[in-house]
Amino acid sequence: MIDLTSMSRPQSVAVVGASPKPGKIGHTILGNVISSGYKGKIFPINPKEKEIAGYKTYTAVSEVPEPVDLAVIAVPAARVLDVVRDCGQAGVKSLVVITAGFKEVGAQGLEMEKQLVESCRKYGMRLLGPNVVGIIDTHTPINASFSATFPQQGEIAFLSQSGAMLVAILDWSASIGIGFSKVVSLGNKADLSEIEFIEDAAADPHTKVILCYIEDIVDGPRFLDVASRASRKKPVIVIKSGTSQAGAKAASSHTGALAGSDLAYDVAFRQCGILRARTMTELFDLAVAFAKAPVPKGNRVAIVTNSGGPGIIATDNVEAKGLQMASFDKATIEELRANLPAEANIYNPVDVLGDAKADRYKFALQKVCADPNVDSVVVLMCPVGVTEPIETTEALLEMRQSFPEKPIFAAYMGGETLAGGAAMLAKAGVPCFTFPEPAIASISGLVRYNEVLDVPKGNGNQDLANIDRKGVKAIFYDVIKDNRLVLLGSEATEIAKCYGIPAAPVVLATSPDEAAAEADKMGYPVVLKVASPKILHKTDVGGVHIGLNTAEEVRHAFVEIMENVHGYMPQAVIYGVEVQKMMPKGTELIIGMTRDIQFGPLIAFGLGGIYVNLIKDVSFRLARGLTAREIEHMLRETKAYTLLRGYRGEKPRDIEALADTIRRVAELVNDFPEISEMDINPVFAYENGLSALDIKITIS
């Protein structure tokens, strides 16, 4: 973990480009540093001025007679490199380069940015930027940015790749009272990125929740490592804009075709414990929830309402978010029945009716919160003539004190009538919404994070036996030597065998007699397939014959396949015909891999056969760090799992062997990054064991 103290908690700051003229960026930054209450030393840098805002001004950072921890640079792009070199010679530890005009403007700017990074590395300086708004730490305090708003002190760290998004959020947050521990504009991420600041925020005692707005991730594996550790300490919530171009390319494999453009981010975030928000509203709703509410022990939600309609809407949302409506104890139901009006609904949701005053709300809330089958509570209030918003809010706050381990959220569905109560909740730190949906969504986020914390540390895997890495290297060597990127079926089958992946025997034959001899050895029936790296869909060109039971049938099929293929694709290079043992019919599955540019290999599992792209019953996981637990979840997410467990009288399939095979595929593609795509389709699953029938491997 790198030390970012000199950037967020510096002892001294130099503002390069400081200006006495209002409207200049350098004027705003210097003013923000001063007005934020920063206690360290401040050095304005401007060769044309002797004093700015009462501070002595220096011509260059190297002229400052004391050590400088942080230099904030706001000069034209053409001058930045000279300033950075001067900072390096002066021993500055960290830089924030506000200036734009680098890689975002084209090739010339990209070259300047490379030189900027090289200079920073030469002098051992860490760089935030270029092209940033700046950095804010409310607990230092310091506002080394040109934002017009210095946020309230709080426990939310906000990292944003978009400067415009950042300043808009800060302005908005001030109007509704959201506080931050630190705010970081990531900009071009030439050196420091969200990775370092997530790690720093995870170790920051003033931060409870980490928010990120990101547009791309450059170092996927390192991001996963850091985020996995950070999410075990604090919730990490990310909104990702744009899509990965890796998944948008034309893919030759089924797996590549199934992997959507944004899928890798979804899988990566889920696997390392990140909560993904789909909207900015959801991002900050979750942030407030984590900053203000405890994480519930389970997913059982209780609803207390004074109106039936909103209660039904909330119930629908509970189920839609994968949560569970709590079932009350018999004692709770009896007390509610005895003390609420006969017309009230005493089951979940608890409807205390439209004429409910504070005392009725308080009674229902106390009984519901005390029920051991309730993990979290949502209080709904609609304004009617007898509603007591202030008194009811006081009762809600009392329940919060009495049951601190259970999150209580409110949805006050009104305007001016309920505004006083809503303001009380906001002041007390109780999440309050106008409608039920965001309240339920926030509870869902808390529950999802509880599941993250519940995942045991370590992968829980034992080392795999029967792995022959040298054998795989030898096969790849021969393929590359032959100037090919697509392996023949026989070669792919040998690769599978090297990693203990069960596969039907396949042998390459170059003549009818050789094919017949190989068929005699392996036993009938057999299948014949044309062997050509240029032919992906063999049946389309008459390149497959199945159910062959004699040597004569094999010879005849060999000749017919060669004639068919030459007729359909006369230019295709044909290596021969592959003879494969015909295996008994089993449950058809697919196990595949496509390589994402950010996060590496993605493993796919689902229903296989000819309908794989039509039905699309597939789940994905990253091969990196794939655990037995994740493989189990991967299987359970598919409809195929229902078939594997035994469906309508069918006997269960060998799920243990299937899980082992998926893990071996993950090991293979992790060990050999040159594998760009891999499909095993179909895999036949049996009561005991399984068999891979068609294996396609592409290397790069």
Side-chain angles (χ1 to χ4, degrees):
M1 178 176 173
I2 69 168
D3 184 3
L4 296 179
T5 302
S6 60
M7 186 166 289
S8 59
R9 296 177 292 280
Q11 297 298 306
S12 55
V13 177
V15 179
V16 185
S19 173
K21 299 177 182 178
K24 296 286 187 180
I25 293 291
H27 177 85
T28 302
I29 294 170
L30 179 62
N32 282 348
V33 173
I34 296 168
S35 63
S36 65
Y38 176 63
K39 302 296 192 298
K41 295 182 178 180
I42 301 172
F43 305 109
I45 309 296
N46 187 326
K48 297 179 181 179
E49 304 292 337
K50 293 184 178 180
E51 181 183 291
I52 301 176
Y55 290 85
K56 181 180 178 181
T57 303
Y58 297 87
T59 59
V61 175
S62 56
E63 297 298 318
V64 176
E66 301 179 51
V68 174
D69 277 352
L70 174 66
V72 185
I73 301 173
V75 299
R79 290 181 50 204
V80 168
L81 291 175
D82 289 338
V83 170
V84 168
R85 294 186 189 103
D86 180 70
C87 289
Q89 292 165 5
V92 174
K93 296 176 183 177
S94 295
L95 303 178
V96 175
V97 178
I98 304 291
T99 310
F102 288 85
K103 72 177 180 182
E104 77 276 8
V105 300
Q108 184 176 353
L110 176 61
E111 181 58 34
M112 288 172 57
E113 190 165 304
K114 288 179 180 177
Q115 294 177 37
L116 172 60
V117 173
E118 288 171 3
S119 292
C120 288
R121 288 175 179 164
K122 176 181 177 181
Y123 293 105
M125 297 182 291
R126 299 315 301 254
L127 164 68
L128 174 61
N131 189 24
V132 298
V133 173
I135 185 170
I136 298 171
D137 191 304
T138 62
H139 293 271
T140 298
I142 185 171
N143 181 6
S145 80
F146 63 87
S147 168
T149 305
F150 186 59
Q152 294 180 26
Q153 193 175 88
E155 298 173 305
I156 300 170
F158 179 40
L159 321 175
S160 177
Q161 197 168 341
S162 165
M165 183 73 72
L166 183 144
V167 294
I169 290 299
L170 289 183
D171 189 57
W172 166 78
S173 68
S175 67
I176 63 170
I178 292 180
F180 294 89
S181 55
K182 55 184 63 185
V183 179
V184 182
S185 172
L186 299 171
N188 290 10
K189 303 192 293 188
D191 175 28
L192 297 172
S193 70
E194 64 282 334
I195 297 173
E196 290 80 16
F197 287 102
I198 287 174
E199 193 171 36
D200 177 66
D204 178 19
H206 301 298
T207 297
K208 284 185 67 175
V209 56
I210 304 167
L211 303 189
C212 303
Y213 170 86
I214 57 176
E215 295 165 0
D216 67 346
I217 291 172
V218 178
D219 190 345
R222 187 159 163 262
F223 175 88
L224 294 174
D225 288 343
V226 169
S228 295
R229 293 194 299 271
S231 64
R232 285 187 165 274
K233 299 177 181 178
K234 297 167 186 179
V236 180
I237 310 169
V238 172
I239 184 167
K240 163 70 177 65
S241 66
T243 56
S244 162
Q245 292 304 305
K249 67 180 179 62
S252 60
S253 70
H254 288 298
T255 307
L258 289 165
S261 60
D262 205 35
L263 176 72
Y265 282 97
D266 261 346
V267 173
F269 291 164
R270 182 171 68 238
Q271 218 161 317
C272 67
I274 285 176
L275 303 180
R276 185 172 188 179
R278 294 293 177 177
T279 66
M280 294 301 294
T281 300
E282 183 184 8
L283 182 74
F284 281 92
D285 283 348
L286 287 173
V288 171
F290 280 106
K292 304 297 184 182
V295 176
K297 293 184 172 66
N299 69 346
R300 301 167 299 179
V301 181
I303 298 166
V304 178
T305 178
N306 68 344
S307 179
I312 294 170
I313 290 172
T315 300
D316 290 343
N317 271 267
V318 166
E319 295 182 358
K321 290 294 183 181
L323 303 172
Q324 181 181 337
M325 289 293 286
S327 297
F328 301 143
D329 265 0
K330 183 178 180 181
T332 302
I333 294 172
E334 291 302 324
E335 290 200 57
L336 292 172
R337 177 180 286 119
N339 291 277
L340 293 182
E343 299 83 1
N345 184 44
I346 59 174
Y347 302 98
N348 200 10
V350 177
D351 186 354
V352 294
L353 303 178
D355 64 347
K357 294 185 179 181
D359 58 344
R360 195 184 298 170
Y361 258 111
K362 181 176 180 179
F363 173 80
L365 274 173
Q366 198 281 327
K367 296 305 175 186
V368 166
C369 289
D371 193 293
N373 297 324
V374 172
D375 298 311
S376 55
V377 180
V378 178
V379 181
L380 311 180
M381 189 191 301
C382 293
V384 294
V386 298
T387 301
E388 298 176 335
I390 300 300
E391 294 82 355
T392 302
T393 299
E394 290 172 346
L396 190 157
L397 293 175
E398 185 180 334
M399 291 305 105
R400 189 198 189 203
Q401 292 292 325
S402 299
F403 303 94
E405 76 285 0
K406 295 185 180 183
I408 302 176
F409 286 19
Y412 282 9
M413 293 172 285
E416 186 177 346
T417 303
L418 303 181
M424 289 173 60
L425 292 179
K427 185 176 180 180
V430 175
C432 183
F433 305 90
T434 305
F435 299 107
E437 293 90 341
I440 303 299
S442 297
I443 290 176
S444 174
L446 293 173
V447 171
R448 279 186 286 152
Y449 185 61
N450 194 33
E451 293 168 356
V452 171
L453 297 176
D454 193 44
V455 175
K457 292 183 179 180
N459 61 30
N461 289 332
Q462 297 178 346
D463 291 337
L464 291 171
N466 305 321
I467 299 292
D468 180 10
R469 293 178 176 85
K470 290 183 178 179
V472 174
K473 289 180 181 178
I475 294 170
F476 284 159
Y477 176 83
D478 290 339
V479 171
I480 294 169
K481 187 178 178 182
D482 196 33
N483 294 315
R484 287 187 286 119
L485 296 178
V486 179
L487 275 66
L488 302 177
S490 54
E491 294 166 333
T493 299
E494 286 303 313
I495 295 284
K497 289 180 179 177
C498 287
Y499 268 70
I501 298 167
V506 180
V507 178
L508 179 65
T510 57
S511 70
D513 287 340
E514 186 182 359
E518 293 295 346
D520 285 339
K521 288 179 187 176
M522 66 177 59
Y524 295 96
V526 297
V527 178
L528 263 58
K529 305 176 185 178
V530 65
S532 172
K534 295 294 185 182
I535 303 174
L536 298 178
H537 304 291
K538 301 177 177 65
T539 55
D540 293 348
V541 296
V544 178
H545 276 245
I546 65 173
L548 305 174
N549 291 297
T550 66
E552 189 57 35
E553 287 181 6
V554 169
R555 292 188 186 93
H556 182 268
F558 185 103
V559 173
E560 188 171 325
I561 285 173
M562 297 298 281
E563 290 176 348
N564 289 341
V565 174
H566 279 303
Y568 278 104
M569 300 182 67
Q571 303 303 319
V573 177
I574 301 174
Y575 285 75
V577 172
E578 290 168 340
V579 183
Q580 183 179 50
K581 175 70 176 175
M582 191 168 177
M583 306 303 292
K585 186 74 173 176
T587 301
E588 290 189 69
L589 306 168
I590 182 173
I591 301 171
M593 185 281 297
T594 187
R595 194 169 292 274
D596 179 75
I597 193 170
Q598 281 90 6
F599 301 110
L602 276 171
I603 301 295
F605 164 77
L607 286 172
I610 62 174
Y611 299 114
V612 60
N613 285 322
L614 177 64
I615 299 174
K616 297 182 180 179
D617 175 44
V618 182
S619 62
F620 285 86
R621 288 295 187 279
L622 295 177
R624 180 184 176 87
L626 185 61
T627 65
R629 178 189 174 106
E630 283 293 335
I631 292 173
E632 180 185 354
H633 289 175
M634 186 182 189
L635 299 179
R636 289 177 179 271
E637 287 171 3
T638 65
K639 296 181 178 69
Y641 188 71
T642 303
L643 298 177
L644 295 171
R645 293 181 62 194
Y647 184 69
R648 291 196 172 183
E650 290 285 333
K651 292 186 178 180
R653 301 313 189 208
D654 194 338
I655 295 176
E656 186 175 337
L658 180 60
D660 180 71
T661 298
I662 291 172
R663 190 173 161 223
R664 290 177 182 276
V665 170
E667 187 89 357
L668 169 64
V669 298
N670 278 329
D671 287 347
F672 292 93
E674 56 265 48
I675 300 176
S676 58
E677 287 187 309
M678 180 176 181
D679 262 3
I680 308 177
N681 180 40
V683 179
F684 279 174
Y686 306 115
E687 290 179 53
N688 295 297
L690 56 146
S691 181
L693 268 66
D694 194 358
I695 306 174
K696 294 184 178 71
I697 296 177
T698 303
I699 60 176
S700 58

